[in-house]
């Protein structure tokens, strides 16, 4: 029975860097999910014959929101839904399912690396037929719909049972519940040299993978322990929990503390890794050794020849503007295309679809390739295991040899969180106005070669996007400023610092960046304007 329900708009349903992300307490308000979903369906238009993929990272409200989405899809005339068993599916697995089934799009219920639970965040990522998240031109249309929404359609029935694999029907719509792990594993087996990695574990190699009580637990157990033979217990925090067991599922040096402490102890495994809430981010560690995501992208690119799926050659590479320039040097050495895009994986999609790039990455612990259209946490971990298996070298050896070959980009990101939105907006505005006058000036011993907004002109759809401000120095050092687009309250100012050195390879990043940090603070007036002299999170 299809019901039309009248509703009134919420004014805050604008998508950010990766979908809609709000406090759980906001999302549980009456009709909040319904308004947002109906707005998407309205913008798509005719849903007859269309197939969508649905799943989530299992966080609080995943189970409630997914039932609403299923019933609304049916009422709006969608022909078929492919749903992960029990409502679970990682973001990269979802992208694969969309592409493999030539679906028209998909919804991943996740606020990614943000904490979950009733006091945490909830979110919805919306992808189209490309397998990647929609461009801003479409999310703008959806936002306009949310501001004018008057009614939504829903099928008035019992909740459907998501535990049973197989086909069902709801209000004339076909539902297929699938095991979300199977296709993903098959894809990974087709990319990497599983026999070589198996042999590595047979020879006593040890790893620890921290799933942070989020969606990748079942994927990691299957791949690392059951198929590749890492010893039982290698995967920790593998049970997806609605509040992630209180963890902040962001795989970095601050929030993956348990893993970091273990990997810096004398008992450390040979290799350590973690993923975020929805499985698209990754952190790579060796014994008492951390690889920055920017370096990881460069190393992955430089070592493509060891991976069966890429060994015959790769297209170019791309990185977000905030990511360090380490991969740029690799791209030039291999004579492949190189692109710099705004922050957010959606900006890589056109470059992959047009075969301009194979690999891409972001400093925020995201790495991936054109096998799908999202970043992919487990893919990155397997890439490293495959390099280790092929070369017999440790994470530390691979990374330090990379620095010897290319030099090192010392890189640190500083986040100033919970800043009043007006203060943050004004700060960015005055900074942007001031930047052109810095050109040619020498500050704290560093000469500014260029300063201004980062503007990206997409070579495929010719859209133009402005995101963040960059100060470049003559020696290749850089400061990037941006406001976060994934927070659920207040503003977060991100300051990304980078300094290149060809000879000094084993120094402390914070020490190497002291002067640049001082410049970054003085020029932006962050301490004066926000009252903060220290960053809240340093990664
Ligand atoms: C952050 C990261 C960005 C990433 C985005 C989504 O955005 O900086 O690199 O693409 O999160 O990641 P922002 O706007 O807060 O800086 V996640 O793992 O959704 O999916
Ligand atoms: Co994520």
């Amino acid at each position: 029975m299809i019901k039309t329900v009248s509703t009134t708009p919420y004014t805050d349903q604008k998508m950010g860097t990766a979908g809609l992300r709000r406090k759980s307490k906001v999302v549980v308000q009456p009709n909040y999910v319904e308004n947002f979903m109906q707005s998407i369906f309205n913008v798509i238009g005719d849903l007859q014959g269309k197939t969508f993929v649905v799943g989530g990272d299992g966080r609080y409200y995943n189970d409630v929101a997914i039932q609403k989405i299923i019933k609304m899809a049916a009422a709006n005339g969608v022909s078929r839904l492919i749903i992960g068993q029990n409502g679970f599916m990682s973001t990269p697995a979802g992208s694969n399912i969309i592409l493999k089934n030539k679906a028209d799009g998909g919804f991943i219920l996740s606020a990614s690396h943000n904490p979950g639970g009733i006091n945490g965040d909830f979110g919805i990522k919306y992808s189209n037929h490309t397998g990647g998240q929609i461009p801003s031109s479409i999310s703008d249309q959806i936002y306009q719909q949310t501001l004018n929404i008057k009614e939504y359609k829903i099928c008035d029935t019992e909740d459907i049972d998501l535990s049973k694999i197989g086909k069902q029907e709801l209000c004339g719509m076909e539902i297929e519940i699938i095991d979300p792990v199977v296709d993903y594993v098959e894809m990974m087996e087709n990319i990497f040299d599983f026999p070589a990695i198996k042999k590595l574990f047979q020879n006593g190699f040890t790893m620890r993978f921290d799933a942070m009580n989020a969606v990748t637990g079942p994927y990691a157990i299957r791949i690392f322990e059951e198929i590749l033979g890492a010893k039982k217990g290698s995967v920790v925090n593998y049970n997806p929990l609605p509040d992630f067991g209180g963890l902040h599922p962001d795989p970095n040096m601050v929030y993956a503390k348990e893993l970091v402490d273990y990997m810096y102890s004398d008992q450390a495994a040979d290799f350590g890794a973690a993923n975020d809430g929805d499985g698209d981010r990754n952190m790579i560690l060796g014994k008492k050794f951390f690889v920055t995501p920017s370096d990881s992208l460069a190393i992955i690119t430089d070592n493509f020849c060891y991976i069966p799926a890429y060994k015959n050659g790769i297209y170019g590479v791309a990185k977000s503007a905030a990511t360090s320039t380490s991969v740029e040097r690799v791209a030039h050495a291999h004579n492949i295309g190189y692109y710099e895009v705004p922050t957010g994986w959606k900006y890589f999609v056109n470059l992959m679809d047009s075969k301009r790039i194979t690999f891409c990455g972001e400093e925020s612990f995201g790495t991936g390739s054109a096998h799908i259209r999202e970043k992919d946490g487990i893919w990155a971990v397997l890439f490293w295991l495959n390099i280790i298996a092929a070369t017999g070298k440790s994470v530390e050896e691979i990374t330090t040899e990379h620095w010897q070959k290319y030099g090192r980009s010392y890189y640190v990101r500083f986040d100033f969180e919970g800043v009043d939105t007006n203060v943050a907006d004004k700060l960015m505005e005055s900074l942007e106005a001031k930047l052109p006058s810095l050109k040619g000036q020498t500050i704290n011993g560093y000469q500014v070669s260029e300063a201004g907004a980062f503007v990206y002109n997409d070579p495929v759809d010719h859209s133009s996007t402005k995101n963040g401000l960059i100060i470049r120095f003559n020696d290749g050092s850089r400061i990037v400023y941006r406001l976060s687009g994934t927070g659920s309250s207040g503003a977060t100012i991100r300051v990304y610092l980078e300094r290149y050195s060809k000879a000094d390879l084993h120094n402390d990043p914070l020490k190497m960046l002291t002067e640049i940090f001082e410049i970054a603070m003085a020029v932006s007036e962050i301490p004066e304007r926000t009252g903060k002299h220290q960053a809240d999170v340093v990664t």
Side-chain angles (χ1 to χ4, degrees):
M1 229 271 290
I2 293 169
K3 222 169 58 172
T4 301
V5 183
S6 51
T7 184
T8 48
Y10 287 96
T11 54
D12 65 345
Q13 299 196 317
K14 197 178 168 78
M15 290 186 236
T17 312
L20 181 71
R21 224 166 271 192
R22 292 287 171 262
K23 291 255 164 263
S24 300
K25 283 191 174 138
V26 170
V27 180
V28 300
Q29 295 176 93
N31 297 345
Y32 197 89
V33 168
E34 288 87 341
N35 280 13
F36 182 67
M37 290 307 300
Q38 188 63 50
S39 301
I40 294 178
F41 290 140
N42 290 350
V43 166
I44 299 171
D46 185 11
L47 293 155
Q48 211 62 54
K50 292 208 159 53
T51 299
F52 293 91
V53 175
V54 191
D57 64 8
R59 69 177 62 218
Y60 173 82
Y61 210 58
N62 193 142
D63 53 349
V64 178
I66 201 164
Q67 294 287 346
K68 292 178 194 266
I69 293 172
I70 295 166
K71 293 173 194 172
M72 287 184 67
N76 278 279
V78 169
S79 291
R80 182 170 172 235
L81 289 185
I82 304 172
I83 306 174
Q85 189 178 22
N86 298 318
F88 284 73
M89 194 180 286
S90 76
T91 291
S95 181
N96 177 44
I97 299 290
I98 294 174
L99 292 169
K100 191 172 172 182
N101 293 280
K102 298 194 169 50
D104 298 282
F107 304 98
I108 296 292
L109 312 186
S110 172
S112 190
H113 54 286
N114 297 16
I118 179 65
N119 295 313
D121 290 354
F122 188 77
I124 301 179
K125 292 180 172 182
Y126 167 41
S127 301
N128 61 16
H129 65 283
T130 63
Q133 290 173 56
I134 49 162
S136 321
S137 54
I138 298 177
S139 51
D140 289 347
Q141 289 175 37
I142 294 167
Y143 177 53
Q144 286 311 317
Q145 280 286 324
T146 65
L147 297 176
N148 295 301
I149 188 108
K150 292 195 178 64
E151 56 183 37
Y152 65 85
K153 284 195 197 130
I154 190 156
C155 190
D156 192 13
T157 52
E158 302 273 286
D159 280 1
I160 75 146
D161 178 4
L162 297 175
S163 67
K164 230 175 59 229
I165 303 245
K167 288 185 181 163
Q168 318 179 22
E169 207 208 282
L170 182 87
C171 293
M173 175 179 75
E174 184 188 312
I175 292 174
E176 187 177 357
I177 314 269
I178 60 161
D179 179 335
V181 178
V182 174
D183 298 86
Y184 183 82
V185 171
E186 185 189 295
M187 172 169 63
M188 292 300 124
E189 283 172 328
N190 287 327
I191 295 175
F192 298 104
D193 189 350
F194 270 42
I197 304 174
K198 250 188 223 172
K199 205 173 279 161
L200 183 72
F201 286 117
Q202 272 163 13
N203 292 339
F205 185 83
T206 55
M207 83 178 275
R208 177 171 287 192
F209 178 91
D210 193 338
M212 303 194 84
N213 299 319
V215 79
T216 51
Y219 295 82
I221 293 271
R222 185 86 249 275
I223 295 174
F224 301 123
E225 293 190 11
E226 292 173 8
I227 300 179
L228 293 171
K231 77 171 183 285
K232 218 171 170 324
S234 299
V235 178
V236 299
N237 296 321
Y238 53 78
N239 219 349
L241 300 173
D243 65 348
F244 307 123
L247 291 181
H248 185 152
D250 196 354
N252 60 36
M253 297 294 271
V254 177
Y255 296 122
K257 193 174 177 311
E258 193 185 310
L259 175 72
V260 172
D261 286 349
Y262 170 72
M263 288 304 295
Y264 278 80
S265 75
D266 292 336
Q267 285 73 47
D270 297 313
F271 179 76
N275 274 188
D276 74 332
D278 60 333
D280 54 358
R281 296 186 176 206
N282 75 90
M283 173 167 67
I284 302 293
L285 297 158
K287 262 188 209 295
K288 303 189 182 184
F289 195 84
F290 164 66
V291 185
T292 68
S294 299
D295 278 348
S296 179
L297 173 63
I299 291 165
I300 277 175
T301 305
D302 201 33
N303 288 284
F304 72 87
C305 64
Y306 296 118
I307 314 297
Y310 309 111
K311 69 171 193 293
N312 293 328
I314 52 172
Y315 301 115
V317 289
K319 69 167 192 77
S320 65
T323 303
S324 99
T325 53
S326 52
V327 73
E328 184 175 4
R329 295 185 286 277
V330 177
H332 295 330
H334 288 275
N335 200 16
I336 54 175
Y338 168 74
Y339 300 84
E340 239 188 4
V341 306
T343 292
W345 210 260
K346 58 191 176 217
Y347 296 103
F348 295 127
V349 172
N350 281 341
L351 297 175
M352 292 193 260
D353 283 349
S354 62
K355 297 195 176 358
R356 283 175 166 81
I357 62 166
T358 298
F359 298 138
C360 45
E362 295 187 288
E363 55 66 42
S364 56
F365 297 79
T367 337
S369 92
H371 65 294
I372 52 169
R373 297 294 178 270
E374 292 278 5
K375 51 191 183 273
D376 191 341
I378 287 185
W379 173 91
V381 175
L382 285 167
F383 206 121
W384 271 89
L385 287 172
N386 200 149
I387 300 174
I388 294 166
T391 60
K393 290 176 185 161
S394 70
V395 172
E396 181 169 359
E397 283 165 339
I398 293 165
T399 309
T400 49
E401 282 176 19
H402 181 87
W403 293 336
Q404 279 154 13
K405 191 162 154 197
Y406 291 104
R408 177 172 177 190
S409 285
Y410 287 91
Y411 182 89
V412 179
R413 174 174 120 186
F414 300 83
D415 290 337
F416 298 84
E417 297 181 337
V419 179
D420 180 88
T421 313
N422 287 326
V423 170
D425 287 343
K426 280 225 182 73
L427 184 150
M428 291 297 283
E429 210 178 287
S430 343
L431 183 57
E432 184 171 354
K434 172 178 188 181
L435 289 184
S437 68
L438 297 184
K439 194 173 166 170
Q441 279 190 40
T442 300
I443 318 169
N444 227 5
Y446 287 80
Q447 197 183 4
V448 178
S449 60
E450 249 181 284
F454 173 74
V455 178
Y456 176 64
N457 297 310
D458 188 300
V460 178
D461 66 18
H462 304 293
S463 61
S464 184
T465 307
K466 191 167 107 173
N467 189 274
L469 306 171
I470 307 188
I471 305 175
R472 295 175 207 275
F473 301 93
N474 275 349
D475 70 340
S477 300
R478 305 188 319 151
I479 302 172
V480 179
Y481 302 91
R482 278 185 67 247
L483 294 184
S484 159
T486 56
S488 57
S489 62
T492 293
I493 305 170
R494 302 204 198 280
V495 182
Y496 312 78
L497 305 184
E498 171 178 359
R499 179 176 165 194
Y500 176 67
S501 177
K502 182 81 190 132
D504 192 356
L505 302 179
H506 299 280
N507 222 317
D508 171 27
L510 284 174
K511 219 171 103 205
M512 291 295 280
L513 292 163
T514 310
E515 288 103 11
I516 297 176
F517 180 76
E518 287 166 6
I519 302 172
M521 291 303 101
V523 171
S524 63
E525 301 165 15
I526 286 176
E528 295 83 347
R529 288 172 182 265
T530 68
K532 288 174 186 277
H533 293 264
Q534 300 282 323
D536 297 282
V537 179
V538 179
T539 53

